[in-house]
Amino acid sequence: MKPARIEEKIQMPASWSDIPFGEHYRQALEAQLAPWWQKMFGYHLLKLGHLSTEIHTKECMIPHQFTVGEDPHLFDVAANPEALPFADKVIDACLMPHLLAYSHDPHWILREVDRVLIDDGWLILSGFNPFSLAGMAKLVPILRKQQPYCSRFFPSLRVFDWLGLLNYEVLYHRNCQALPWLSSEKRVNKRCGGLGVMSVIVARKRTYPLTPTPLKFKQPKVKISTALGATKEISKSKQFR
């Protein structure tokens, strides 16, 4: 298994339209997340990366929604996702579409997002499935330098492992867009979701006490004299039987 951190930096596309069949990916992602927006509450929704700016989140119950990226002309807050300018535990939910796929250090990204998320905060991830048609195309040398095959295809189990180390509970996972050139509403893409090109993960941050303290129950105190007297009465009753 290749290490998660690499020295080479991968250029993230500025829009879904810069990825072949990107609009289908965007629509499929919005369809997968639609039932979840009504379940998220809080004050701040953080949308990280270029691709997050085009994801419609109007149905989300969180009122303050803002984007963060390195370009000050495209984002509400200009900052490096690896060094977010926020205090600890102030963000209620974070949307990261394909950010790990274009990151040279996904561990660092996850740790930084975990730092700013509140307890029980929501984390939404998406990426490319290596066990799909796109994963097979990535094996072709000519395509490796083109979008989206130049990015990193992490297996879902590996991402689950990273989230588990940070105490995140995966609430939802789905692979969608088996045939990326078709709409997400087509019957083939609905029935063959397991082979989908795009992986969608919805997780929630769980916080457990480091030193669990068991409950102490008060037991009634019994006098030794009372206990001895009860024992003698029982022994006498047995003699007369």
Side-chain angles (χ1 to χ4, degrees):
M1 182 182 296
K2 296 182 179 180
R5 187 183 187 280
I6 59 176
E7 297 299 330
E8 178 187 2
K9 292 189 177 182
I10 308 172
Q11 182 63 35
M12 189 175 189
S15 173
W16 289 95
S17 59
D18 295 335
I19 304 175
F21 317 114
E23 286 300 317
H24 291 308
Y25 293 146
R26 182 184 62 80
Q27 294 173 9
L29 178 58
E30 291 178 349
Q32 294 295 319
L33 297 181
W36 289 94
W37 294 129
Q38 300 293 328
K39 302 178 182 180
M40 300 181 189
F41 298 91
Y43 300 97
H44 307 290
L45 170 62
L46 170 61
K47 303 168 71 172
L48 275 179
H50 290 83
L51 300 181
S52 67
T53 60
E54 300 177 0
I55 301 297
H56 297 290
T57 56
K58 293 182 179 180
E59 298 178 357
C60 183
M61 304 298 294
I62 300 177
H64 183 216
Q65 305 177 12
F66 62 101
T67 59
V68 173
E70 297 184 4
D71 193 340
H73 301 288
L74 299 177
F75 299 94
D76 299 323
V77 178
N80 188 342
E82 297 180 0
L84 297 175
F86 307 119
D88 298 351
K89 297 184 179 182
V90 293
I91 302 298
D92 300 280
C94 180
L95 174 63
M96 298 168 49
H98 289 60
L99 188 61
L100 299 182
Y102 290 93
S103 173
H104 75 287
D105 194 349
H107 289 173
W108 190 280
I109 292 285
L110 287 175
R111 285 194 296 266
E112 184 65 7
V113 171
D114 176 70
R115 180 185 65 82
V116 300
L117 272 180
I118 66 170
D119 297 339
D120 291 330
W122 296 82
L123 179 59
I124 305 166
L125 304 169
S126 68
F128 295 110
N129 179 19
F131 309 107
S132 62
L133 291 179
M136 296 174 60
K138 187 177 175 64
L139 300 176
V140 180
I142 303 177
L143 300 176
R144 289 179 183 175
K145 294 185 178 181
Q146 302 179 13
Q147 293 286 358
Y149 316 109
C150 62
S151 65
R152 313 178 69 186
F153 288 25
F154 294 114
S156 298
L157 292 178
R158 192 175 184 184
V159 180
F160 292 166
D161 185 53
W162 296 344
L163 295 175
L165 292 175
L166 295 173
N167 288 334
Y168 279 81
E169 179 186 1
V170 177
L171 302 179
Y172 179 76
H173 170 247
R174 179 70 186 273
N175 293 328
C176 52
Q177 286 301 105
L179 300 179
W181 53 85
L182 296 179
S183 172
S184 59
E185 298 298 326
K186 295 293 182 179
R187 184 178 302 177
V188 175
N189 281 333
K190 284 186 175 181
R191 293 188 176 182
C192 303
L195 301 176
V197 174
M198 187 173 62
S199 174
V200 182
I201 299 174
V202 178
R204 200 165 188 185
K205 181 178 179 179
R206 301 303 188 187
T207 303
Y208 304 100
L210 297 178
T211 54
T213 56
L215 296 176
K216 296 181 179 180
F217 297 96
K218 293 183 178 180
Q219 297 181 354
K221 296 181 179 180
V222 180
K223 295 182 179 180
I224 298 177
S225 59
T226 305
L228 292 175
T231 306
K232 291 180 180 179
E233 292 295 332
I234 294 174
S235 61
K236 287 181 181 180
S237 60
K238 288 183 178 180
Q239 291 177 358
F240 289 99
R241 286 181 180 179

